[in-house]
Amino acid sequence: MIQNRTPFLNKISASLNRTEINTQPPVKEWQHRPVEKKLSHLTSDELMPAFIEQCGVLKNTTIVEVEAAQAMKEIDAAVQKFGGQSVALWDDERLTALGIEQLTTSKWIDEGMAVHIWDSALGRTENFERTNASNIGIAYAEYALAESGTVVLYSAEGQGKAVGLLPNVFITIVKKSTLLPRMTQAAIKIKEDFAGDQLLPASVDFISGPSNSADIEMDLVVGVHGPIFAHYIVLSDQ
């Protein structure tokens, strides 16, 4: 929802001596809509090969597909694979439903790992410092885009975007049913998710693999402005 839109437009219209205020976007009837058709005929099962292929194109990006019952085993295996040491993760009921507490309150603690669960009560600075000190970040995606190997994250209370930006490794949980063809469908879904008077999240982040930067000579450097590695865990039965 856009706040104070009407008073803002009223002021501009008055300055321009206009009496009619149109707050609705114009309807555009395009003859051809290729951006809406590409890959749109495919089911989530049929989109998976394209998603996997694109993740293979992205540098330092891996993907694995498991059933939800095996999610904790796979998350733990990924954390061990990338060196463990310290983990920052969202305070997210979806992770709780998968059984993340088995790891955060027991196994990882027993192994000497530092575990930080995003806590709004700590304040922005403390959460950022603890997340920045973590080797691995774990979050839960709202959607994934097959065409670009992208995951879509909503920032909210308990779900700081820094978890996907500051650690060296970023692990994302993705429901297979939320796999979309491309950015076009994501925009439609986001509009539907926040229809009416519902406020948008603090940020909507589109993350396609790890941080990649290239200079004018196209020398690629990974991890300058974010994680060095990205790992997607797709829940095949959700």
Side-chain angles (χ1 to χ4, degrees):
M1 176 183 177
I2 301 175
Q3 297 182 356
N4 301 316
R5 176 173 60 180
T6 300
F8 177 74
L9 292 176
N10 284 340
K11 184 175 181 180
I12 294 177
S13 296
S15 299
L16 297 173
N17 296 319
R18 294 177 180 173
T19 57
E20 183 179 354
I21 303 174
N22 184 11
T23 59
Q24 298 300 318
V27 177
K28 297 180 180 180
E29 295 295 340
W30 304 110
Q31 183 177 359
H32 303 289
R33 297 174 178 266
V35 295
E36 296 178 5
K37 294 180 179 179
K38 186 177 181 181
L39 302 178
S40 62
H41 63 288
L42 302 178
T43 66
S44 56
D45 284 329
E46 293 169 334
L47 286 170
M48 269 302 294
F51 187 50
I52 293 171
E53 180 181 0
Q54 184 58 32
C55 288
V57 173
L58 298 174
K59 198 171 184 65
N60 292 1
T61 302
T62 51
I63 181 171
V64 63
E65 184 177 359
V66 299
E67 294 184 353
Q70 299 299 315
M72 285 305 101
K73 181 178 179 181
E74 179 55 38
I75 291 174
D76 183 43
V79 168
Q80 304 297 336
K81 171 186 174 182
F82 289 110
Q85 298 179 8
S86 51
V87 179
L89 64 155
W90 281 1
D91 182 10
D92 192 316
E93 61 183 12
R94 296 169 296 183
L95 290 174
T96 302
L98 291 175
I100 194 72
E101 291 181 351
Q102 302 170 24
L103 302 175
T104 59
T105 63
S106 181
K107 187 176 188 296
W108 289 344
I109 300 299
D110 293 342
E111 293 174 352
M113 288 192 202
V115 177
H116 171 58
I117 300 175
W118 193 275
D119 184 357
S120 299
L122 292 177
R124 182 177 184 273
T125 300
E126 183 69 17
N127 276 299
F128 267 63
E129 288 178 352
R130 295 190 184 189
T131 301
N132 189 48
S134 299
N135 179 42
I136 298 169
I138 302 174
Y140 206 115
E142 302 296 329
Y143 303 105
L145 312 182
E147 182 185 54
S148 54
T150 302
V151 291
V152 183
L153 308 181
Y154 290 169
S155 293
E157 186 173 1
Q159 299 172 197
K161 67 181 295 180
V163 170
L165 294 174
L166 298 180
N168 296 320
V169 182
F170 181 45
I171 297 174
T172 317
I173 315 302
V174 181
K175 289 183 179 180
K176 190 175 185 178
S177 62
T178 64
L179 184 57
L180 303 174
R182 59 204 308 268
M183 188 75 73
T184 305
Q185 288 75 24
I188 294 171
K189 285 289 187 181
I190 293 169
K191 185 176 181 180
E192 292 174 351
D193 289 347
F194 300 97
D197 294 334
Q198 189 173 358
L199 291 175
L200 287 166
S203 70
V204 178
D205 299 311
F206 295 82
I207 301 175
S208 303
S211 167
N212 286 279
S213 301
D215 60 18
I216 195 170
E217 295 181 356
M218 299 302 292
D219 291 326
L220 184 64
V221 180
V222 179
V224 174
H225 303 293
I228 302 171
F229 300 97
H231 184 66
Y232 301 155
I233 299 175
V234 179
L235 305 181
S236 60
D237 54 347
Q238 290 193 6

